[in-house]
Amino acid sequence: MTRPPEGPGQPGPSVPTVGRITVPELRAAPESGRRIVMLTAYDYPTARILDVAGVDVLLVGDSLGNNVLGYESTLPVTMDEMLHHTRAVSRAARRALVVGDMPYLSFQTGRRDAVRNAGRFLKEGGAAAVKIEGGRRRAGLVEALLDAEIPVMGHIGLTPQSVHLMGGYRVQGKRIDQARALVEDAVALERAGVFSLVLEGMPESVGRAISDAVAIPTIGIGAGRFCDGQVLVFHDLVGLGEGTPPKFARRYARIGDEIAAAVHRFVDDVRGGAFPSEAETYSVPEAIAAGKSGRT
Ligand code: KIV
């Protein structure tokens, strides 16, 4: 498959600026040489900013659990939590495609559960598609979702819902047999009908081999430079997360530090009596304040 002619690091064609991005448009991105930009979003104001800034796909990721709800992993995240945040993001998105991430145990328990839960993302959450983690084992499930008119984004490699099976958040596909298995997973999911594929936490060579093996767009997160698009967790990009961001994440701002500095100043101003000032105070004419009616 031909990858974007410009090669890594070069600007590609600009994305359309009017109308909503659709699943077929996203699916066709590799042919047009258009690199897909995807970010996680969990709330209305952030989603508005990302949408206006030109992000193609807003992923309401189950990383909501770690980044917003204070869980240690994505495993505790529920369907109700996901839907609550998906609705907020959908209300904000005018142009970007909204994808809802199927949380742990919303699809692993059988096709019936999976179709019902995935359908809720479209029916109640306003999303246009769902994402599910896992390789060829999910092929039948992908077909069942498509039967119910639900577009599916796949996700292979380091899949956080498998954290205990993997023995931690480890880069996948380092051994040749594992790398081959990942390529086979990608091909099986493409055959089953996914319209795009997230590749997470794998050597660049494996990300490249998968991107060459499938015609659907690959969207990398820690999968190197040869994917058709890139996704980051918003909190890593703006420096809002706790701890050190992963090696693959580029920090474009330090919003967490900015917020801390602003709040420290507010604390000092309130304690020191500098807030509020007269300009930040409502007033009435002096006579009324003094209790006089003003009538003669
Ligand atoms: O939940 C999430 O943030 C994700 C991305 C890492 C792709 O699945």
Side-chain angles (χ1 to χ4, degrees), residues 262-278:
V263 174
H264 274 122
R265 277 176 26 224
F266 178 63
V267 168
D268 289 348
D269 285 353
V270 171
R271 298 222 167 106
F275 180 86
S277 68
E278 194 181 347

Side-chain angles (χ1 to χ4, degrees), residues 79 83 86 100-103 106-107 111-132 141 144-146 148-152:
M79 270 303 296
L83 287 174
T86 305
D101 205 3
M102 299 279 290
S106 68
F107 63 93
R111 290 188 194 175
R112 211 180 148 78
D113 285 352
V115 170
R116 201 175 292 282
N117 285 321
R120 291 186 71 195
F121 274 103
L122 273 60
K123 202 176 171 79
E124 300 170 38
V130 298
K131 176 171 84 55
I132 58 172
L141 188 54
L145 294 174
L146 287 175
E149 321 301 337
I150 302 167
V152 187

Side-chain angles (χ1 to χ4, degrees), residues 210-269:
I210 294 172
S211 300
D212 284 343
V214 296
I216 50 170
T218 56
I219 307 175
I221 174 160
R225 293 163 291 177
F226 296 93
C227 300
D228 299 291
Q230 296 289 331
V231 51
L232 281 181
V233 167
F234 171 76
H235 287 56
D236 291 339
L237 180 129
V238 298
L240 202 48
E242 279 180 325
T244 321
K247 170 183 164 75
F248 59 76
R250 188 177 295 177
R251 195 180 262 176
Y252 287 84
R254 294 188 173 272
I255 299 297
D257 293 348
E258 292 259 324
I259 293 173
V263 174
H264 274 122
R265 277 176 26 224
F266 178 63
V267 168
D268 289 348
D269 285 353

Side-chain angles (χ1 to χ4, degrees), residues 40 59 61-63 101 131 155 198 200 221 233:
T40 61
L59 171 68
D62 62 353
S63 55
D101 205 3
K131 176 171 84 55
H155 181 169
V198 170
E200 179 167 358
I221 174 160
V233 167

Side-chain angles (χ1 to χ4, degrees), residues 62 74 101-108 130-143 145 152-163 165-166 172 181-200 202 210 216:
D62 62 353
T74 58
D101 205 3
M102 299 279 290
Y104 181 57
L105 286 194
S106 68
F107 63 93
Q108 290 93 338
V130 298
K131 176 171 84 55
I132 58 172
E133 293 186 9
R136 72 200 83 160
R137 278 182 303 168
R138 307 285 181 234
L141 188 54
V142 170
E143 285 165 9
L145 294 174
V152 187
M153 176 181 277
H155 181 169
I156 59 172
L158 194 173
T159 45
Q161 291 175 19
S162 322
V163 58
L165 267 183
M166 294 182 303
Q172 301 293 297
L182 283 173
V183 175
E184 285 163 17
D185 281 339
V187 171
L189 287 170
E190 176 177 44
R191 276 205 199 111
V194 299
F195 70 92
S196 58
L197 201 47
V198 170
L199 307 182
E200 179 167 358
M202 60 184 71
I210 294 172
I216 50 170

Side-chain angles (χ1 to χ4, degrees), residues 2-14 29-35 225-226:
T2 318
R3 292 292 118 183
E6 298 83 7
Q10 303 296 310
S14 62
E31 286 105 75
S32 60
R34 163 178 162 189
R35 287 230 172 98
R225 293 163 291 177
F226 296 93

